[in-house]
């Protein structure tokens, strides 16, 4: 992963926001306090806003992807890498 570029980092950021939104929405469903649920929904909405900011930045960033064995290989690798390294891990959201 020493060859990460700006595109990779922004892709990570998008993924983190996607999983964060899912986490907050699920958290809102399990809390019993309405004020806390409202806070979690607000945080989920913020994750959507952040994700869109990062997507806009991605559109303006050159994607220098390495050669792939099959189409989508590199993006799948990046996604798997970030899913295992961040606070909001897709497999642990539940």
């Amino acid at each position: 992963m020493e060859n990460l570029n700006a595109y990779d980092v922004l892709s990570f950021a998008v993924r983190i926001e996607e999983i964060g939104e899912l986490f907050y929405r699920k958290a809102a469903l399990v809390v019993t306090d309405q004020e806390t649920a409202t806070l979690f929904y607000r945080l989920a909405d913020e994750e959507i806003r952040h994700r869109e900011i990062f997507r806009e930045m991605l559109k303006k960033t050159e994607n220098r992807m390495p050669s792939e064995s099959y189409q989508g290989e590199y993006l799948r690798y990046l996604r798997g890498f970030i899913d295992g390294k961040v606070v909001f891990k897709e497999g642990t959201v539940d």
Side-chain angles (χ1 to χ4, degrees), residues 26-34 36-38 40:
K26 288 188 176 190
L29 294 174
V30 298
V31 297
T32 55
D33 176 55
Q34 185 58 44
T36 304
T38 299
F40 282 134

Side-chain angles (χ1 to χ4, degrees), residues 27-92:
L29 294 174
V30 298
V31 297
T32 55
D33 176 55
Q34 185 58 44
E35 186 176 342
T36 304
T38 299
L39 172 64
F40 282 134
Y41 283 123
R42 190 174 84 223
L43 291 170
D45 291 342
E46 284 296 311
E47 298 292 71
I48 292 170
R49 190 174 69 78
H50 300 156
R51 182 180 66 223
E52 292 310 311
I53 290 168
F54 291 131
R55 282 185 177 159
E56 286 301 312
M57 293 170 73
L58 267 172
K59 289 179 186 177
K60 300 172 188 172
T61 305
E62 181 183 352
N63 182 5
R64 292 175 283 159
M65 291 179 44
S67 60
E68 299 178 311
S69 300
Y70 57 90
Q71 186 175 9
E73 176 186 23
Y74 186 62
L75 292 178
R76 289 183 71 175
Y77 171 76
L78 289 177
R79 200 169 191 177
F81 177 82
I82 196 64
D83 286 352
K85 304 288 184 198
V86 298
V87 174
F88 298 120
K89 296 179 184 179
E90 186 173 29
T92 60

Side-chain angles (χ1 to χ4, degrees), residues 11-24:
S11 296
F12 286 167
V14 168
R15 184 67 178 151
I16 291 167
E17 301 302 328
E18 289 171 348
I19 299 170
E21 178 200 356
L22 180 61
F23 172 83
Y24 288 129

